[in-house]
Amino acid sequence: MTEIEMPDVRGRLTRNRDLSSLTWLRVGGPADWFFQPADEADLSDFLAALDPEMPVFPMGVGSNLIVRDGGIEGVVIRLGRGFNGVEIKGDLVHAGAAALDAQVAKRAAEGGRDLTFLRTIPGSIGGALRMNAGCYGSYVADHFVSARAVLRDGTIVTLGPDDVSFAYRNTDLPEGAVITQVSLRAEAGDPEALLARMDEQLAKRDATQPTKDRTAGSTFRNPAGFSSTGRADDSHELKAWKVIDDAGMRGATLGGAQMSEMHSNFLINAGGASAADLEGLGELVRKRVFETSGLTLEWEIKRVGRPTPTGPAKTGS
C-alpha cells in the first residue's frame, strides 16, 4: 500500500508485525502496522490523527480468529497492560477490554458477584462484548450495562444497551470502534460456591473439549441459533457438532488442519497448518453439512485479512 506518514504515539507502533504468534491457532501473515497504545488518551490521539482512509482492526487475544496468510491491511490495534484492570463496585463489575474472561469471572466471584458463565469462554472481555459471548444459558447481553469506546475519529464515547444491537454471537458496534472498558451487572453469590461452580465447569470443559490443542474455540454457530445450556435436558439435535458428525467430518483433515476427534466443532492446527488450510477445511465442512442436511453452518470464528494467491493444500484422510 502507499506509504503514509503515521502519527506520533506514546505506545508502540510497529511496521509489518507478524501476527501468527498472537493467535491461538498460530497462523496468519503480518499487519501493515501494529499499534499498542499506552492508554486511552494515546489511542484517542492516534485515531484522531490517523488518515481516515487507513483501515483499522481492533484485535483481542486472538482466541476466536483466523488471520489469513496474506496478513491484515492497515492498522491492527491491540490493547495490553493498562486496559486489563477489574474493579467491583456494588453489583457492577468494571473490566478493561483486555482483561481475560476467565480473570473477570474469578475476580467477580472473589468479590461475591456471579459472572461464572465467563469462566470457560476463551478470550478477553472486549471480544466477549463484540461476540455477545455466552455459555450455560447466559450471555454478555444479559449483564451489559455500558462500555467505553474510542471511535474511528478518536472520539471517546460511552455506549449503553440502546447503542448496542445484541444478537446470537454478534453485536452491531460502530465500524472501527475500539472498546476500552466494559461494565457488567452481576447478581450476588457466595464466593466459595461461585469458585466451586467454576471448578466444575472447567473439569467438564477439559473432559469434552480439546483444550490442549491449538484451537479457536467453537468453529461454527449452532444451526438453531442457540448455545449449549449445559442442562441435563439439553437437546443436541441441531448442535453444530452433531450435524458435522452426521456429515462424516469428525477428524477430517486438510493440510495441517483437522476437525477435532474429541469435539468435531473444534478446528485445530494439528501441526504446520496455514490459515488457508484451516479456512479451507472449514469451508469443506460447511459444504458437506449442506449436502447431507440442507443446513448452512455459519462461522463463529472470525476470519480476516488477505488470502495468499495459492490455494489450500489437498484433502487428507
Side-chain angles (χ1 to χ4, degrees), residues 9 15 26 39 45 55 69 84 116 119 123 163 167 175 218 233 238 254 264 270 294 315:
V9 299
R15 186 80 160 114
R26 293 295 189 267
D39 49 36
D45 292 343
D69 300 308
N84 61 359
T116 52
R119 181 63 181 90
D163 303 309
E175 184 71 25
S218 296
D233 62 349
L238 277 179
L254 183 66
S264 56
T315 307

Side-chain angles (χ1 to χ4, degrees), residues 206-231:
D206 291 346
T208 58
Q209 298 177 9
T211 54
K212 295 182 180 179
D213 292 323
R214 290 179 178 175
T215 79
S218 296
T219 305
F220 301 107
R221 302 176 184 179
N222 290 318
F226 297 98
S227 177
S228 299
T229 65
R231 296 192 300 261

Side-chain angles (χ1 to χ4, degrees), residues 221-292:
R221 302 176 184 179
N222 290 318
F226 297 98
S227 177
S228 299
T229 65
R231 296 192 300 261
D233 62 349
D234 192 19
S235 171
H236 299 286
E237 292 178 6
L238 277 179
K239 293 295 163 62
W241 71 262
K242 180 66 165 58
V243 296
I244 292 170
D245 276 5
D246 291 346
M249 296 302 286
R250 180 181 289 264
T253 62
L254 183 66
Q258 182 181 24
M259 301 309 295
S260 172
E261 291 277 8
M262 187 176 193
H263 191 308
S264 56
N265 193 29
F266 278 72
L267 182 62
I268 64 175
N269 182 347
S274 65
D277 290 340
L278 293 159
E279 189 171 11
L281 178 56
E283 288 299 321
L284 181 58
V285 168
R286 295 179 73 236
K287 180 174 182 287
R288 294 284 170 80
V289 166
F290 182 77
E291 290 172 348
T292 56

